[in-house]
Structure formats: C-alpha cells, structure tokens
Amino acid sequence: MARMKFLCDAERCIECNACVTACKNEHEVPWGVNRRRVVTINDGKPGERSLSVACMHCSDAPCMAVCPVDCFFYTEQGVVLHNKDLCIGCGYCFYACPFGAPQYPQVGNFGSRGKMDKCTFCAGGAADAGSDEEFKKYGRNRLAEGKLPLCAEMCSTKALLAGDGDQVSNIYRERVVARGFGSGAWGWSKAYPGGGS
Amino acid sequence: MTRQTPIKWMGGICLLVVLLVIGSASVQTTAYAQNSPEVLGTDAQTEFWRAIRQGEQGTVSIPDKNAAQLIQSEGDNWRALRNGPLSVYGAQALIGMVLVLAIFFLFRGRIRIDHGWSGWTVQRFNEVERFGHWLLAGSFIILGLTGLNMLYGRYFLKTLIGDSAFATITAWGKIAHNYLAFAFMIALVLVFIMWVRHNFPSRTDINWLIKGGGIIGPSHPPAKKFNLGQKIIFWLVLLCGISISLTGIALLFPFQTTMFADTFALLNVFGFNLPTAVTPIQEMQYAQLWHSIVSVALIVVVIAHIYIGSIGMEGAFAAMGSGRVDLNWAKEHHSLWVEELDAAGTLNAERDSVDRLSKEEAVKDEAVKGEPAE
C-alpha cells in the first residue's frame, strides 16, 4: 500500500495561494480555519521563496502522541486523521505540531476552541466514506473516489506534489537532476555565490 | 486656462513616477543578478533551509501572523518532556507516596490518642475556616482528578470504559477543571487570610523538627495551633497553588500572556541564562509543563496530608469535620495552643456530642482534662 506524502518544491511555488483557496472551497471549512497556508520567506527580497504547508501526516505524529483522548489514527495509506466525536478541543496537538497544522474554529478562552480541524489529505475522517456526516465534519473524501488532494492536483506550477511517497520523490529527483544540482555540493554556495559566474 | 493647469501638473507627476519606477527597477535587477543564480534550485541553500528548520518567520497573507513560522521544533521538546519524564516520574511519585503511606500504616498503624478520648471537645476550626478548607480541598480533588485524567486517562481509564465514554468524561472534566479553578483560587485567598498569622516560623518548630513531629518517638513535641508539618503544607499549598493558578490562567487565555518571558527575564537578573524571546506557542508549552509538574508534586504532598488527616491519626479528622477536637488530642498534638486558649479563657470545652466513653470513664477523665472553662 502506498504511503501518502506531501512535497512542496520551493523553486516552483509562486505564492498564488490557489491551494489554500481550493482547499477551503472543496471542504467548505469555516472562517478562520486554514488547513493549508502559504508562507513566504524573504518576502520582496532577492532569494524569496514560498512554501505551501499543511498537515504533513508525519510518521510518529506528535499530535497523536500528546492527545489526551487519543483521537488520532493512521489510515492504511499513512494519512493522519482524527475523530471529532472524541476531540475535546484542548489544543495540545497544536502545541506539539511542528507545522502548525491543527486549527480551531473559535478563539479559545476557557478552552472553548471547538473541535480541532486539520488537513485530511482529502481522505475524510472517522465516518463512513462519502457520507454527509463525513463531509460536514471532515470535508470531501477524494481518496475514496480515487482522486488525490485537490491542492496538489490543481497547483498551476506543480510545486505542490501529493501522492505515493515513492512517486513524489521520483518526480522531485528528476527535477533536481534536470536543474543541474552540481553546485549544490558542499561549500559551493559559499565559495561561488551567485552560480559561480 | 483652468483646465490646462491641472493637466500639466498631472503630467509632471506622471513623469516623476515613471522615472522613480525605472530607477527602483534597475536597482532591483542589479541586486538580483548579484545574489541569485539564473536557474533556480541549483544551489544547496543550506543556510536558507537551516533557518527554516530553526523556526524562521516568513510572511503570510492570512490574518493569523503566528502562522508565518514554518517549523516550530519546540513542540517536539514539549512532547518529549510531557510524555517522558513528567509522565514517568509523576506516576512513580504518586504510586510511591501511596506505597510509602501504606507501609507506614502497616508498621506504625493508626496514631492513637495516647490518653484516650476525654469525652470533652474544644473548637479548633470555626464554620468559615472549615468552609475555606473544604472549598480548597473539594476543588483541588476534582481539579487533581481531572488533571491526572488529561495526563494518564488514555492509558488507564480509556482502556476500561472505551473511547466514547472516556472522551465524554474527559470533555466534562475539562469544563469542570476550567471553572472550578476559580473556586480553588478564591479558597486559596481565604485560607491565606485566615491562617497566615498561625504559620510563621517559631522556635518551637525547631524542637518539633528534631523530634520528627513525634511520629517516630513516643513523645509529642509541643506545638501551637499549627505544628511545623502543618506550616510546611500551608506554605507548599500556597506557593504551589499560586504557581498553578497563574499557569492555569495562561492556559485558560491561550497565546495572550508573556508570563514565562517575564519570569525568565527576572531570573536572569540573578545570574540565570534563560531565553527571554519566548514565542506565544512556547509560552503555552512552558505553562502546560510547569502547571503539570507543580500540580503532580502538590498532589503527592496532599495525599500524605489526606492520610494523616483521616485514617492516619485518631481524632484528627474532627478538626475539619465537626470543627471540634477531643481535648486529649488537642493537648497531645497542640499543647501550646490549648495553653494559649486556657490562658485567654476561650477554651470553652464541651461534652463530646458523640458518646465515645462510658459515664464512669468520662467522669474519671475530668481529672486529666482539668477545669473545663464552663
């Protein structure tokens, strides 16, 4: 069985935020919840790079490890999902997550965050695949329909890749070879800045 | 005439803008050529990725500007400490204290009133004092149980009652925890006001400490209203309680406090080298850790307090139960306090409402008790 993974190619992402919009539209997530976001480093400066980030569906997921009610689970494809019927909205998964993936529908004083919401890799959640209940709680289950996550599917520059981890890394490896990564060797960026011209 | 003037004027501005744009564009082009290779991705950019891995902030177009951090690794530390030492040592301390008390009970047994029940009682704690104590105790027990459930419930209770029931209980437990916290804080203030004057260190404490509180030897060292052991638990409950309350408030109002940054800055004055640039999420991680560490420590201490105030010592529970303790108990454990009351004429001993003794014994023991005030 495939192990699903995300990869964002920083050399291709143009910060169009279409992945963010597509995600919001596909899953009809509430205001203030961002299952996916685009972060720009060195915005407006030379060497600017953008990266689209959401739940990375970690192996040994920190959210799963710290959840007091143990509401997280892995699918057979390595996707990290959670059960909103069990979630108590304590916020621990957000404290643990390296990528800031868990989101809450409310502001959150007195622990009133509401049930956590996060990227599902378009794989639904703890409800029957394709049911209304699943859509309302977790969004569309595209994987059950044989489709991949919409954010990556409609990425115009194909910066964002989603799918079987082996295939994703093969595509990325081809790109790196085509770009000519020779100058990526140790010390080159320091010794020959700007491509060594 | 009136029309031509603004057109000329606008034309001049347009020219100026065009010149500025060309100027700035040429500057940017030069900078780009100097710093970036023409083909993207041919450079290892180790510094760039290292900075991201170490938590560099970028920019985001969404309102939540905290989302501009791509990777926060501190969460891994928090997880490792919470699921590691905190959980492991916490469980060992809790189980260890229960075992120690069980062993103590097996060998020492219940600490009896040496002279037996006198049949006469004196007022030890009035209604307000008992209200303050039980508000503190009641809220603490619920807060403690719901808090321990957050830390250990998934390994223990969940396996017994199943996912759904456990999640429901934990959700209600969280609500109880959030709101009973205020009862705890109010009780903490009450207890402080009521008892602080009895809890300052005094010379009798040294003797009490040397004699080990009388727990080991046969004699009872003299003590006033509170002995050293009670003074220690008073100050532990107060200091730990304040610390737990403050971190609890930080957890109730997430991402809005800078408590740890401020505390670290203060500690750094005394030679520590703690980080003062604490992000909002790190504030939460520190708050959760400290809240749990201090709480577990206090629970361990309070288990011992509950033991000695209930099954551990004959006659002790009445102090917080009816508020009236047996005179012999009071003389043995708080001799100086009884003397104080006697000297002030406020001993006011009354017959015990519980008929623990036969009439003859009660009469005989009046000699032991001495002259009752009434």
Side-chain angles (χ1 to χ4, degrees):
Chain A
M1 190 59 102
R3 203 295 186 199
M4 292 297 175
K5 287 177 186 173
F6 278 127
L7 189 150
C8 184
D9 190 340
E11 310 303 339
R12 279 178 174 243
C13 179
I14 57 170
E15 198 202 352
C16 68
N17 275 293
C19 49
V20 176
T21 311
C23 174
K24 280 174 175 285
N25 189 61
E26 180 76 353
H27 302 298
E28 295 179 13
V29 293
W31 281 100
V33 170
N34 284 278
R35 290 185 176 189
R36 179 168 283 287
R37 67 190 194 276
V38 176
V39 179
T40 304
I41 307 287
N42 300 327
D43 192 17
K45 297 184 192 118
E48 172 184 313
R49 293 290 185 280
S50 292
L51 286 155
S52 174
V53 62
C55 172
M56 293 292 278
H57 303 278
C58 304
S59 312
D60 185 23
C63 51
M64 194 180 283
V66 299
C67 178
V69 291
D70 199 13
C71 77
F72 292 87
F73 60 95
Y74 285 112
T75 69
E76 288 178 341
Q77 295 168 314
V79 176
V80 176
L81 297 178
H82 70 297
N83 187 337
K84 284 195 181 184
D85 296 335
L86 303 181
C87 173
I88 59 167
C90 67
Y92 283 11
C93 48
F94 185 77
Y95 304 158
C97 178
F99 303 102
Q103 304 283 303
Y104 304 91
Q106 286 135 41
V107 177
N109 287 347
F110 287 87
S112 60
R113 295 174 184 83
K115 309 254 181 210
M116 189 273 279
D117 189 273
K118 74 170 190 69
C119 162
T120 62
F121 208 88
C122 288
D128 293 337
S131 64
D132 276 354
E133 186 201 355
E134 184 189 49
F135 180 71
K136 277 183 186 137
K137 285 178 183 165
Y138 310 100
R140 200 87 59 194
N141 191 340
R142 289 172 57 87
L143 257 58
E145 297 167 9
K147 300 167 186 166
L148 285 169
L150 189 65
C151 51
E153 286 286 273
M154 48 63 60
C155 177
S156 61
T157 61
K158 290 286 167 271
L160 187 60
L161 303 173
D164 173 16
D166 292 339
Q167 289 189 33
V168 165
S169 54
N170 279 339
I171 292 167
Y172 189 65
R173 189 180 303 114
E174 278 172 30
R175 287 183 188 177
V176 169
V177 169
R179 283 173 197 156
F181 203 59
S183 58
W186 180 86
W188 277 39
S189 65
K190 186 72 185 165
Y192 321 115
S197 53
Chain B
M1 282 299 284
T2 45
R3 273 189 183 177
Q4 275 178 340
T5 313
I7 288 170
K8 276 185 187 171
W9 190 60
M10 282 168 70
I13 286 182
C14 284
L15 191 67
L16 201 66
V17 168
V18 168
L19 283 172
L20 278 173
V21 168
I22 292 169
S24 62
S26 63
V27 169
Q28 276 184 354
T29 316
T30 325
Y32 185 79
Q34 278 172 353
N35 290 310
S36 287
E38 285 186 15
V39 180
L40 294 176
T42 57
D43 215 329
Q45 299 175 351
T46 42
E47 284 82 9
F48 174 81
W49 291 110
R50 186 183 302 117
I52 287 176
R53 187 68 187 79
Q54 293 176 348
E56 191 191 21
Q57 298 268 331
T59 49
V60 281
S61 52
I62 57 174
D64 179 13
K65 296 305 167 199
N66 288 329
Q69 187 176 20
L70 273 167
I71 297 180
Q72 65 102 9
S73 299
E74 294 79 16
D76 283 341
N77 301 340
W78 175 72
R79 167 199 172 172
L81 286 168
R82 180 188 175 273
N83 286 14
L86 169 61
S87 297
V88 174
Y89 297 148
Q92 286 174 353
L94 289 163
I95 295 167
M97 179 52 91
V98 172
L99 282 178
V100 164
L101 291 171
I103 291 166
F104 180 81
F105 185 74
L106 280 176
F107 282 89
R108 180 69 169 80
R110 196 168 199 212
I111 298 167
R112 298 283 173 190
I113 303 173
D114 287 347
H115 295 90
W117 298 96
S118 70
W120 290 82
T121 61
V122 288
Q123 179 92 44
R124 179 151 168 81
F125 295 114
N126 64 30
E127 287 79 1
V128 180
E129 286 176 304
R130 278 177 283 146
F131 171 76
H133 175 268
W134 287 115
L135 187 63
L136 192 69
S139 59
F140 185 81
I141 286 168
I142 298 172
L143 290 166
L145 289 176
T146 51
L148 289 175
N149 185 45
M150 287 287 279
L151 193 55
Y152 297 115
R154 68 181 272 188
Y155 307 110
F156 170 65
L157 191 59
K158 183 170 176 276
T159 56
L160 296 177
I161 61 173
D163 292 2
S164 190
F166 173 68
T168 307
I169 286 174
T170 310
W172 282 105
K174 191 191 75 162
I175 292 167
H177 198 96
N178 287 345
Y179 289 95
L180 282 173
F182 292 94
F184 177 78
M185 287 184 250
I186 291 165
L188 211 55
V189 174
L190 266 178
V191 161
F192 175 75
I193 293 168
M194 291 187 305
W195 292 335
V196 67
R197 66 196 172 96
H198 297 295
N199 280 289
F200 295 115
S202 69
R203 267 178 299 161
T204 51
D205 294 337
I206 300 164
N207 180 45
W208 192 91
L209 186 64
I210 291 166
K211 293 196 175 173
I215 269 179
I216 300 135
S219 67
H220 288 290
K224 294 192 179 184
K225 180 155 180 170
F226 292 126
N227 62 38
L228 180 63
Q230 290 168 312
K231 287 178 185 178
I232 288 171
I233 195 167
F234 174 83
W235 290 110
L236 274 178
V237 166
L238 203 73
L239 295 177
C240 293
I242 290 169
S243 198
I244 293 167
S245 301
L246 291 174
T247 46
I249 288 167
L251 291 164
L252 279 178
F253 299 92
F255 309 109
Q256 292 168 46
T257 55
T258 56
M259 195 180 124
F260 281 88
D262 299 342
T263 311
F264 289 167
L266 186 70
L267 287 173
N268 286 349
V269 174
F270 300 101
F272 288 89
N273 190 22
L274 297 162
T276 48
V278 184
T279 60
I281 195 164
Q282 284 174 275
E283 286 281 347
M284 300 308 293
Q285 291 158 355
Y286 284 130
Q288 194 282 333
L289 270 185
W290 189 246
H291 191 79
S292 313
I293 292 168
V294 180
S295 300
V296 169
L298 192 56
I299 290 168
V300 170
V301 172
V302 168
I303 288 173
H305 174 70
I306 293 171
Y307 167 80
I308 204 74
S310 57
I311 58 167
M313 184 186 283
E314 188 177 41
F317 185 81
M320 275 303 165
S322 64
R324 303 190 66 87
V325 290
D326 191 88
L327 193 55
N328 281 352
W329 181 90
K331 282 178 175 176
E332 285 169 17
H333 294 284
H334 300 277
S335 53
L336 299 175
W337 172 65
V338 176
E339 284 169 24
E340 274 173 18
L341 290 182
D342 210 10
T346 52
L347 193 59
N348 297 337
E350 288 172 13
R351 286 307 302 267
D352 198 341
S353 57
V354 182
D355 194 18
R356 289 193 172 88
L357 302 165
S358 61
K359 285 224 170 72
E360 299 89 313
E361 277 178 307
V363 172
K364 188 185 75 188
D365 280 4
E366 279 189 44
V368 180
K369 175 180 61 63
E371 286 285 312
E374 289 296 318

